[in-house]
Amino acid sequence: MKAILALFRRELALAYGRGGGPLLACGFYAGVAVLLPLAEGPDPKRLAAVAPGAAFAALALASLLSLERLFERDFEDGALDLLTLGSPGLAAAAAVKCLAQWLATGAPLAATAPAVAIALGGAPDLSPLVFLTSLLAGLGFNFIGGIGAALALGARRGGVLVAVIVLPLFTPLVVFGAGAVDALSTGLDWKPALALLAAYSLCATALAPFAMSAACRNAMS
Amino acid sequence: MTDHATNIRLLAINDLTVARGDRRLFAGLKAQLAQGEAMALTGANGAGKTSLLRVIAGMIRPVSGEVRFENETGPLEADAARSEGLHLLAHLDGLKPGRTAREELDFWARWMGGEGDLSRAIETFSLSPLMDLEVRKLSAGQRRRLALARLLAAPRKLWLLDEPMAPLDAAMRARFAEVMKAHLAEGGLILAAVHDPLPMTTGSLDLGAGR
């Protein structure tokens, strides 16, 4: 347990040491979301119709930004080798890295999400659900993105490869996340979509660490 | 805690064949290393010294053959032995340039299951004036001393060392020789890839000329 906490603290420190990584992701998210009304025209009705979907697509892209480096630096400087030699094991290390990444980047992004939704013409009373769905989706983005980051280790232009691998797997998160917000704003029942979103994210949390561990070991050998 | 698992008493290598890509590094390698013994691993550049250490540490899968760890009661599960019983000191030291020496030593000691008393490790390698510096500001020799301090910060029986002496100055080489002797006296095992002989009586394992 001491080992797990020590790694968690190190990952948080490294995430904030990477030249303000979390703030950068929030800036990117807000930037993409602001481009949308410019492209779509200022008609509030048209904008409100596409806003939830567009906001979630932007969230997926913003989460991807810092993910590509999740294992790369540890791989390059030999830390990944040494992480396999700790008693918690590599799968636990991968899970801790993703959780720390979620707290460092996913949580600030989720906090930005209500502001983005309002900027896109969403009603302010959607904000709690927007925050909750963004936070849950972020959990899934980070664990699934971690698989991509591990698979892309050692590849040239790994960042693009990560995007190509994981964006299809982000689909259910975007569909259910935007679906829940959309349902609430049109007065439908939003709970099923939220439940499916949570289920997908938690499944990813449970299974992805083993895939990440296997992919890292493959890159090491 | 799990003392019996960490208490490696014997490292046995049986009929080990290792290849990197299409190139076979060595075949049918046999060796044994028991408690209190050191072994010098020699061979030309590219003969496979580093690869052998990484096979033992479980990072490379061999083509055939086995690496076995034993304690007093018999063979250990390899994964448990690796995650609790051995240290690997490699060229890449895994130290993050932007963190201080203290943060890094503290983290690795905890990750490797050390109990948190780092003062002996810091003192042994004369690291105390360096502990608050960022790793990027350390020289190659100072970085190596920090990496070596991990061996003491989290006690483990089997040390796999890849040219541990290379960047050290004469005084620090002598100091580390004392550390290795003390480790052997306490029942440790050392397998070290070296070009110069180790400063103690050792067995030797020669991987030959390489290619």
Side-chain angles (χ1 to χ4, degrees), chain B residues 121-145:
Chain B
I122 293 169
E123 208 174 300
T124 304
F125 293 102
S126 310
L127 286 166
S128 36
L130 309 174
M131 290 310 282
D132 292 317
L133 291 179
E134 286 185 355
V135 170
R136 75 171 95 246
K137 297 194 176 120
L138 303 182
S139 74
Q142 290 170 333
R143 258 181 99 129
R144 175 52 56 92
R145 276 151 58 192

mmCIF file of all heavy atoms in Angstrom, chain B residues 121-145:
data_model
loop_
_atom_site.group_PDB
_atom_site.id
_atom_site.type_symbol
_atom_site.label_atom_id
_atom_site.label_comp_id
_atom_site.label_asym_id
_atom_site.label_seq_id
_atom_site.Cartn_x
_atom_site.Cartn_y
_atom_site.Cartn_z
ATOM 1 N N ALA B 121 21.817 4.599 3.447
ATOM 2 C CA ALA B 121 22.113 4.609 2.018
ATOM 3 C C ALA B 121 22.710 5.947 1.602
ATOM 4 O O ALA B 121 23.674 6.014 0.836
ATOM 5 C CB ALA B 121 20.832 4.327 1.229
ATOM 6 N N ILE B 122 22.155 7.039 2.132
ATOM 7 C CA ILE B 122 22.623 8.376 1.776
ATOM 8 C C ILE B 122 24.051 8.583 2.268
ATOM 9 O O ILE B 122 24.925 9.083 1.552
ATOM 10 C CB ILE B 122 21.677 9.438 2.366
ATOM 11 C CG1 ILE B 122 20.307 9.341 1.689
ATOM 12 C CG2 ILE B 122 22.256 10.828 2.203
ATOM 13 C CD1 ILE B 122 19.226 10.149 2.351
ATOM 14 N N GLU B 123 24.293 8.147 3.491
ATOM 15 C CA GLU B 123 25.607 8.314 4.092
ATOM 16 C C GLU B 123 26.671 7.492 3.358
ATOM 17 O O GLU B 123 27.760 7.983 3.048
ATOM 18 C CB GLU B 123 25.524 7.853 5.548
ATOM 19 C CG GLU B 123 26.492 8.516 6.490
ATOM 20 C CD GLU B 123 26.178 8.055 7.902
ATOM 21 O OE1 GLU B 123 25.044 8.289 8.370
ATOM 22 O OE2 GLU B 123 27.055 7.422 8.492
ATOM 23 N N THR B 124 26.336 6.243 3.056
ATOM 24 C CA THR B 124 27.300 5.350 2.435
ATOM 25 C C THR B 124 27.836 5.918 1.126
ATOM 26 O O THR B 124 29.019 5.808 0.826
ATOM 27 C CB THR B 124 26.649 3.980 2.157
ATOM 28 O OG1 THR B 124 26.126 3.485 3.372
ATOM 29 C CG2 THR B 124 27.662 3.005 1.600
ATOM 30 N N PHE B 125 26.950 6.511 0.343
ATOM 31 C CA PHE B 125 27.392 7.011 -0.954
ATOM 32 C C PHE B 125 27.604 8.529 -0.943
ATOM 33 O O PHE B 125 27.579 9.171 -1.994
ATOM 34 C CB PHE B 125 26.392 6.599 -2.036
ATOM 35 C CG PHE B 125 26.383 5.114 -2.254
ATOM 36 C CD1 PHE B 125 25.381 4.324 -1.717
ATOM 37 C CD2 PHE B 125 27.409 4.496 -2.955
ATOM 38 C CE1 PHE B 125 25.387 2.948 -1.903
ATOM 39 C CE2 PHE B 125 27.423 3.127 -3.141
ATOM 40 C CZ PHE B 125 26.415 2.344 -2.614
ATOM 41 N N SER B 126 27.796 9.103 0.252
ATOM 42 C CA SER B 126 28.078 10.538 0.422
ATOM 43 C C SER B 126 27.108 11.405 -0.375
ATOM 44 O O SER B 126 27.524 12.311 -1.097
ATOM 45 C CB SER B 126 29.504 10.874 -0.016
ATOM 46 O OG SER B 126 30.408 9.999 0.584
ATOM 47 N N LEU B 127 25.835 11.111 -0.254
ATOM 48 C CA LEU B 127 24.853 11.817 -1.068
ATOM 49 C C LEU B 127 24.229 13.017 -0.370
ATOM 50 O O LEU B 127 23.498 13.778 -1.009
ATOM 51 C CB LEU B 127 23.730 10.846 -1.486
ATOM 52 C CG LEU B 127 24.090 9.830 -2.572
ATOM 53 C CD1 LEU B 127 23.036 8.744 -2.647
ATOM 54 C CD2 LEU B 127 24.230 10.507 -3.913
ATOM 55 N N SER B 128 24.509 13.178 0.947
ATOM 56 C CA SER B 128 23.712 14.186 1.664
ATOM 57 C C SER B 128 23.778 15.595 1.067
ATOM 58 O O SER B 128 22.753 16.265 1.033
ATOM 59 C CB SER B 128 24.034 14.187 3.153
ATOM 60 O OG SER B 128 25.371 13.937 3.380
ATOM 61 N N PRO B 129 24.934 16.073 0.539
ATOM 62 C CA PRO B 129 24.872 17.427 -0.039
ATOM 63 C C PRO B 129 24.087 17.488 -1.352
ATOM 64 O O PRO B 129 23.785 18.577 -1.835
ATOM 65 C CB PRO B 129 26.343 17.780 -0.270
ATOM 66 C CG PRO B 129 27.103 16.523 -0.192
ATOM 67 C CD PRO B 129 26.285 15.509 0.526
ATOM 68 N N LEU B 130 23.781 16.326 -1.932
ATOM 69 C CA LEU B 130 23.139 16.324 -3.252
ATOM 70 C C LEU B 130 21.633 16.103 -3.189
ATOM 71 O O LEU B 130 20.943 16.230 -4.203
ATOM 72 C CB LEU B 130 23.742 15.204 -4.122
ATOM 73 C CG LEU B 130 25.256 15.157 -4.223
ATOM 74 C CD1 LEU B 130 25.691 13.917 -4.982
ATOM 75 C CD2 LEU B 130 25.767 16.404 -4.923
ATOM 76 N N MET B 131 21.123 15.762 -1.992
ATOM 77 C CA MET B 131 19.763 15.242 -1.931
ATOM 78 C C MET B 131 18.700 16.233 -2.363
ATOM 79 O O MET B 131 17.622 15.846 -2.794
ATOM 80 C CB MET B 131 19.447 14.740 -0.515
ATOM 81 C CG MET B 131 20.195 13.475 -0.140
ATOM 82 S SD MET B 131 20.061 12.169 -1.367
ATOM 83 C CE MET B 131 18.427 11.544 -0.996
ATOM 84 N N ASP B 132 18.960 17.540 -2.246
ATOM 85 C CA ASP B 132 17.936 18.509 -2.614
ATOM 86 C C ASP B 132 18.119 19.066 -4.024
ATOM 87 O O ASP B 132 17.396 19.952 -4.453
ATOM 88 C CB ASP B 132 17.882 19.643 -1.590
ATOM 89 C CG ASP B 132 17.367 19.128 -0.240
ATOM 90 O OD1 ASP B 132 16.398 18.351 -0.263
ATOM 91 O OD2 ASP B 132 17.950 19.469 0.801
ATOM 92 N N LEU B 133 19.097 18.508 -4.749
ATOM 93 C CA LEU B 133 19.299 18.944 -6.134
ATOM 94 C C LEU B 133 18.400 18.140 -7.064
ATOM 95 O O LEU B 133 18.059 16.993 -6.795
ATOM 96 C CB LEU B 133 20.758 18.713 -6.549
ATOM 97 C CG LEU B 133 21.814 19.582 -5.883
ATOM 98 C CD1 LEU B 133 23.186 19.197 -6.409
ATOM 99 C CD2 LEU B 133 21.537 21.046 -6.176
ATOM 100 N N GLU B 134 18.034 18.763 -8.191
ATOM 101 C CA GLU B 134 17.314 18.013 -9.212
ATOM 102 C C GLU B 134 18.269 17.010 -9.848
ATOM 103 O O GLU B 134 19.461 17.280 -9.987
ATOM 104 C CB GLU B 134 16.774 18.959 -10.288
ATOM 105 C CG GLU B 134 15.586 19.765 -9.821
ATOM 106 C CD GLU B 134 15.003 20.601 -10.955
ATOM 107 O OE1 GLU B 134 15.588 20.613 -12.052
ATOM 108 O OE2 GLU B 134 13.967 21.235 -10.717
ATOM 109 N N VAL B 135 17.722 15.873 -10.255
ATOM 110 C CA VAL B 135 18.559 14.824 -10.830
ATOM 111 C C VAL B 135 19.310 15.332 -12.062
ATOM 112 O O VAL B 135 20.438 14.934 -12.321
ATOM 113 C CB VAL B 135 17.690 13.588 -11.172
ATOM 114 C CG1 VAL B 135 18.466 12.587 -11.990
ATOM 115 C CG2 VAL B 135 17.180 12.953 -9.886
ATOM 116 N N ARG B 136 18.690 16.262 -12.821
ATOM 117 C CA ARG B 136 19.349 16.753 -14.041
ATOM 118 C C ARG B 136 20.659 17.481 -13.732
ATOM 119 O O ARG B 136 21.509 17.621 -14.590
ATOM 120 C CB ARG B 136 18.409 17.664 -14.831
ATOM 121 C CG ARG B 136 18.228 19.044 -14.255
ATOM 122 C CD ARG B 136 17.453 19.947 -15.217
ATOM 123 N NE ARG B 136 16.029 19.961 -14.918
ATOM 124 C CZ ARG B 136 15.096 19.481 -15.719
ATOM 125 N NH1 ARG B 136 15.427 18.957 -16.864
ATOM 126 N NH2 ARG B 136 13.833 19.521 -15.375
ATOM 127 N N LYS B 137 20.800 17.952 -12.483
ATOM 128 C CA LYS B 137 22.017 18.706 -12.145
ATOM 129 C C LYS B 137 23.151 17.802 -11.668
ATOM 130 O O LYS B 137 24.238 18.277 -11.392
ATOM 131 C CB LYS B 137 21.696 19.741 -11.071
ATOM 132 C CG LYS B 137 20.698 20.769 -11.566
ATOM 133 C CD LYS B 137 20.625 21.974 -10.655
ATOM 134 C CE LYS B 137 19.701 23.025 -11.234
ATOM 135 N NZ LYS B 137 18.578 23.345 -10.369
ATOM 136 N N LEU B 138 22.893 16.502 -11.533
ATOM 137 C CA LEU B 138 23.920 15.590 -11.050
ATOM 138 C C LEU B 138 24.823 15.150 -12.198
ATOM 139 O O LEU B 138 24.384 15.016 -13.333
ATOM 140 C CB LEU B 138 23.265 14.354 -10.411
ATOM 141 C CG LEU B 138 22.292 14.598 -9.263
ATOM 142 C CD1 LEU B 138 21.791 13.265 -8.725
ATOM 143 C CD2 LEU B 138 22.938 15.396 -8.148
ATOM 144 N N SER B 139 26.093 14.887 -11.881
ATOM 145 C CA SER B 139 27.003 14.331 -12.886
ATOM 146 C C SER B 139 26.711 12.846 -13.038
ATOM 147 O O SER B 139 25.949 12.262 -12.264
ATOM 148 C CB SER B 139 28.443 14.524 -12.430
ATOM 149 O OG SER B 139 28.732 13.617 -11.382
ATOM 150 N N ALA B 140 27.331 12.225 -14.043
ATOM 151 C CA ALA B 140 27.088 10.806 -14.296
ATOM 152 C C ALA B 140 27.434 9.968 -13.066
ATOM 153 O O ALA B 140 26.690 9.068 -12.678
ATOM 154 C CB ALA B 140 27.897 10.343 -15.500
ATOM 155 N N GLY B 141 28.561 10.300 -12.442
ATOM 156 C CA GLY B 141 28.968 9.538 -11.265
ATOM 157 C C GLY B 141 28.021 9.739 -10.096
ATOM 158 O O GLY B 141 27.701 8.794 -9.372
ATOM 159 N N GLN B 142 27.555 10.977 -9.932
ATOM 160 C CA GLN B 142 26.618 11.250 -8.828
ATOM 161 C C GLN B 142 25.294 10.537 -9.047
ATOM 162 O O GLN B 142 24.688 10.015 -8.120
ATOM 163 C CB GLN B 142 26.402 12.765 -8.710
ATOM 164 C CG GLN B 142 27.636 13.497 -8.188
ATOM 165 C CD GLN B 142 27.501 15.000 -8.313
ATOM 166 O OE1 GLN B 142 26.794 15.511 -9.174
ATOM 167 N NE2 GLN B 142 28.204 15.718 -7.448
ATOM 168 N N ARG B 143 24.853 10.523 -10.306
ATOM 169 C CA ARG B 143 23.610 9.799 -10.625
ATOM 170 C C ARG B 143 23.759 8.325 -10.313
ATOM 171 O O ARG B 143 22.858 7.686 -9.790
ATOM 172 C CB ARG B 143 23.321 9.943 -12.125
ATOM 173 C CG ARG B 143 22.270 10.936 -12.458
ATOM 174 C CD ARG B 143 22.078 10.948 -13.947
ATOM 175 N NE ARG B 143 20.916 10.140 -14.281
ATOM 176 C CZ ARG B 143 19.926 10.578 -15.062
ATOM 177 N NH1 ARG B 143 19.983 11.767 -15.580
ATOM 178 N NH2 ARG B 143 18.912 9.789 -15.339
ATOM 179 N N ARG B 144 24.920 7.768 -10.673
ATOM 180 C CA ARG B 144 25.145 6.356 -10.417
ATOM 181 C C ARG B 144 25.124 6.083 -8.912
ATOM 182 O O ARG B 144 24.583 5.081 -8.450
ATOM 183 C CB ARG B 144 26.473 5.911 -11.052
ATOM 184 C CG ARG B 144 26.880 4.469 -10.759
ATOM 185 C CD ARG B 144 25.784 3.463 -11.070
ATOM 186 N NE ARG B 144 25.287 3.509 -12.427
ATOM 187 C CZ ARG B 144 25.763 2.775 -13.423
ATOM 188 N NH1 ARG B 144 26.749 1.955 -13.214
ATOM 189 N NH2 ARG B 144 25.242 2.860 -14.622
ATOM 190 N N ARG B 145 25.717 7.010 -8.127
ATOM 191 C CA ARG B 145 25.700 6.821 -6.669
ATOM 192 C C ARG B 145 24.270 6.817 -6.147
ATOM 193 O O ARG B 145 23.920 6.030 -5.260
ATOM 194 C CB ARG B 145 26.513 7.929 -5.989
ATOM 195 C CG ARG B 145 28.002 7.611 -5.957
ATOM 196 C CD ARG B 145 28.859 8.839 -5.971
ATOM 197 N NE ARG B 145 28.592 9.750 -4.860
ATOM 198 C CZ ARG B 145 29.070 10.988 -4.795
ATOM 199 N NH1 ARG B 145 29.824 11.451 -5.779
ATOM 200 N NH2 ARG B 145 28.803 11.742 -3.764
#
